[in-house]
Amino acid sequence: MRAGLEGEKDERLAALAAGGDRDAFDALVTRHRQAVYRLCWSAAGNAADADDAAQETFVRVYRSLPSYDPARPFGPWLRKIAWNCGLSVRRDGNAGVPRVAEGDAPEAIDPAPGPEEEAVGNEERRRVAGAMAGLPAELRMVMVLRAVEGLSYEEIARAAGIPAGTVMSRLSRARTRLLAALGEGSGGGS
Amino acid sequence: MDCRETQPLLTAFHDGELPAAERVRVEEHLRGCPECAALLADLARVDRATGVPDPGPAYWDRFNARVMDRVEREADGPRVAVLRPKGGWMRQQLRYLVPAAAAAALVVVIVHYGGMRPGALTPPVQPAVSERTAPVPGSEWTAKAESAAAARPVPPSAPAKERVATVTREKQDRLADGQGWPSAGAGRDATGSVAPAAGSPPVTAADGMTQGNQAERKKVERAAVPMAEQQGAGKATSAPGMRVAKEPSPGSPCELARALAERERFREAEDAQRACLAQDRSAPAQEKGLVFLAELLDRQARFAEADAVITEVDRQFPQSRPLDLYRQQRPMVQKRKE
């Protein structure tokens, strides 16, 4: 990445990229690719489609940059595109068939767990990942945006195009189901 | 505050989304209630365990380069539907690009085989009546042959030339009945789905972008399908060149909308499509369904309402591909109705 771009705001990078600055676009991709991938995964429910959708998201972003208004926040715009791409991939190829590879533990959320905690944490993460794949996409989405990305209800509402109250009720339903999956595996919870 | 009041608030409390006053009350309750405190701890536990499997550093190392490869591949050619749309991207692209060529090809075919004057393609008002009542020379197909056409299709073994002549006759009959052919299915089959609707200028062979040969006709048949098909509605066609419009049979509202649109009953199709949208609330169905609704409104010359639907699609689904495709086609749709 070209020096000096790291500190630039998304909207500025988008404007530079729209003017043909490939480094600026590259910086945008690097900055957002993991969050985009996670959102696509939450829509698609499996890694292969998440990859396809994440790639497609940035292709669409690139194509749409000339019409992007830098006065609008970049994040919600990007998330909306990513979510649509994730759903499109699922519809086109693997509707309703989420897959999670065996032993595929999601990345650690705890910053520095000890070895024992890590083993328990990995087991729980695996179990929750399995349960996540079985959730309806709209529940997975709010869960990923809240628990993984740390977005506010308002931000999630904007990304999902739903009222903030619905965000809360979906989160509540998602957590109840995930908790049940944890409980089943550990013989009744913590 | 008791447990019954507290528990519904725990999610928002956990997420830091509770207004300050309620937050204080929940905190007070939690201090004296181990049960609710345990529920709160469970929420935190679920969140800690929630994640998305990371594809690993090697994946991320290649990610940006793959995006750029894809961008460049698309820049070299037509916009490629990377998301594996149903029916292949070529069909998707041709859906809106080919109708003009298809119309010209049809005219050539009809003029050549059917003995019609190009001008006669404009849906007739008065002259059609005489066509309907008079048997067409050299053919046993008459204006009343619509149902007979269904009962007596040309055998598949009939030479292609004969089949084309036959369906051309069917087209004449249909025009004579004042129905025309479904413009929603422009280009789908050469029997007349590409025929201009009332008010549009007659297409002449001189306008042709391509020759009306059989290969081209078949290509057009395969390539161009109405927007409605994007919804995955049921099939309504038989063999190429053999299609006979049937009374829409009851099925899902989505299928009904499509069938009605093919018969140019756009007002009823609109109602069915609205029911379809109410039935399937999934985002992809809404995205494509709303675009189709906009098309139905355009076809009724209700352009302002169509604009509103399109604005809504834009708002809900930025960079929508179905909308992109329809925007390319829209001027043609609107022109027919102006």
Side-chain angles (χ1 to χ4, degrees):
Chain A
M1 190 190 297
R2 195 172 73 221
L5 289 177
E6 293 92 337
E8 292 286 0
K9 284 188 166 180
D10 288 342
E11 292 74 16
R12 168 81 181 134
L13 287 177
L16 288 171
D21 187 335
R22 289 264 176 132
D23 287 339
F25 181 69
D26 193 62
L28 271 179
V29 175
T30 303
R31 186 178 292 176
H32 292 286
R33 62 192 180 188
Q34 283 168 305
V36 162
Y37 176 89
R38 287 191 290 261
L39 185 51
C40 290
W41 186 91
S42 73
N46 68 80
D49 287 342
D51 168 50
D52 199 8
Q55 291 274 316
E56 172 67 4
T57 298
F58 287 108
V59 171
R60 282 199 202 185
V61 165
Y62 186 88
R63 227 163 40 204
S64 310
L65 279 172
S67 61
Y68 168 71
D69 174 9
R72 287 163 57 201
F74 183 78
W77 184 70
L78 176 67
R79 277 193 287 273
K80 196 106 192 175
I81 295 174
W83 178 247
N84 286 338
C85 285
L87 290 179
S88 303
V89 163
R90 200 175 59 129
R91 183 176 172 83
D92 286 337
N94 300 285
V97 194
R99 303 187 297 266
V100 173
E102 284 294 319
D104 203 6
E107 62 187 307
I109 308 297
D110 294 333
E116 209 169 302
E117 274 181 307
E118 192 170 39
V120 174
N122 277 341
E123 176 53 31
E124 292 205 335
R125 275 193 288 276
R126 254 193 295 276
R127 215 172 285 143
V128 168
M132 281 280 279
L135 287 182
E138 66 268 18
L139 297 190
R140 253 197 325 260
M141 179 203 204
V142 293
M143 204 53 206
V144 167
L145 290 181
R146 175 65 215 169
V148 181
E149 309 301 337
L151 263 54
S152 70
Y153 285 7
E154 186 55 44
E155 288 168 315
I156 298 171
R158 225 177 303 146
I162 54 176
T166 307
V167 173
M168 189 180 75
S169 63
R170 285 186 184 176
L171 273 173
S172 182
R173 278 158 57 205
R175 283 176 175 138
T176 301
R177 289 175 65 164
L178 297 178
L179 195 60
L182 276 182
E184 282 164 18
S186 62
S190 52
Chain B
M1 188 177 261
D2 58 18
C3 295
R4 201 167 42 87
E5 290 173 287
T6 304
Q7 285 174 7
L9 301 176
L10 282 179
T11 292
F13 178 85
H14 166 71
D15 290 323
E17 298 270 350
L18 217 51
E22 279 183 304
R23 186 169 185 86
V24 170
R25 294 175 65 210
V26 170
E27 278 169 349
E28 279 171 9
H29 175 80
L30 287 172
R31 274 197 287 273
C33 179
E35 190 188 338
C36 287
L39 286 175
L40 183 66
D42 277 344
L43 297 184
R45 182 173 158 232
V46 166
D47 278 15
R48 272 198 308 275
T50 298
V52 172
D54 189 83
Y59 172 83
W60 296 118
D61 285 348
R62 291 181 296 112
F63 187 90
N64 294 29
R66 290 174 56 220
V67 169
M68 290 319 295
D69 278 355
R70 216 150 148 168
V71 164
E72 277 156 18
R73 269 205 313 274
E74 291 196 18
D76 289 343
R79 281 174 52 178
V80 178
V82 189
L83 291 176
R84 308 187 304 268
K86 284 175 191 169
W89 76 267
M90 178 62 87
R91 185 166 122 166
Q92 294 273 322
Q93 301 306 307
L94 290 176
R95 177 173 299 161
Y96 303 114
L97 301 178
V98 162
L106 171 70
V107 169
V108 173
V109 169
I110 288 173
V111 168
H112 186 74
Y113 295 108
M116 285 179 68
R117 292 185 311 279
L121 276 175
T122 307
V125 182
Q126 286 306 320
V129 175
S130 59
E131 271 190 20
R132 176 165 57 174
T133 50
V136 180
S139 166
E140 51 191 311
W141 295 93
T142 68
K144 297 195 183 253
E146 184 177 336
S147 57
R152 295 180 49 230
V154 176
S157 57
K161 189 172 173 179
E162 185 186 330
R163 285 205 299 275
V164 171
T166 304
V167 296
T168 301
R169 198 63 61 207
E170 262 185 48
K171 154 115 182 86
Q172 286 179 310
D173 296 335
R174 188 166 291 279
L175 290 177
D177 281 338
Q179 292 180 24
W181 282 79
S183 51
R188 173 190 283 221
D189 67 37
T191 60
S193 57
V194 291
S200 61
V203 181
T204 67
D207 295 325
M209 291 162 63
T210 180
Q211 292 299 311
N213 57 45
Q214 286 292 306
E216 184 64 30
R217 190 172 71 84
K218 283 180 181 164
K219 182 175 159 193
V220 167
E221 286 166 0
R222 280 199 309 272
V225 295
M227 292 291 293
E229 192 157 299
Q230 289 186 30
Q231 299 185 110
K235 306 265 183 224
T237 53
S238 53
M242 295 282 294
R243 187 162 128 230
V244 176
K246 294 174 186 159
E247 187 63 24
S249 58
S252 77
C254 309
E255 287 170 8
L256 184 64
R258 180 178 175 279
L260 288 165
E262 288 190 342
R263 292 179 64 84
E264 296 195 334
R265 286 156 63 176
F266 298 125
R267 180 67 192 84
E268 294 159 78
E270 180 202 338
D271 289 341
Q273 184 57 17
R274 288 186 191 279
C276 168
L277 283 162
Q279 195 176 70
D280 188 349
R281 308 295 299 176
S282 70
Q286 290 289 307
E287 180 181 9
K288 291 174 179 175
L290 284 169
V291 171
F292 183 48
L293 178 63
E295 181 182 4
L296 291 173
L297 291 166
D298 275 333
R299 289 189 186 279
Q300 297 173 70
R302 288 157 60 190
F303 301 139
E305 288 169 74
D307 282 341
V309 172
I310 285 172
T311 305
E312 181 60 19
V313 177
D314 249 344
R315 192 186 67 76
Q316 286 189 34
F317 310 100
Q319 316 309 320
S320 159
R321 188 185 300 275
L323 182 56
D324 253 1
L325 292 168
Y326 181 58
R327 278 197 170 118
Q328 292 170 27
Q329 186 202 27
R330 199 177 182 213
M332 285 187 286
V333 173
Q334 292 189 327
K335 197 174 169 189
R336 284 182 178 163
K337 288 294 171 189
E338 269 170 4

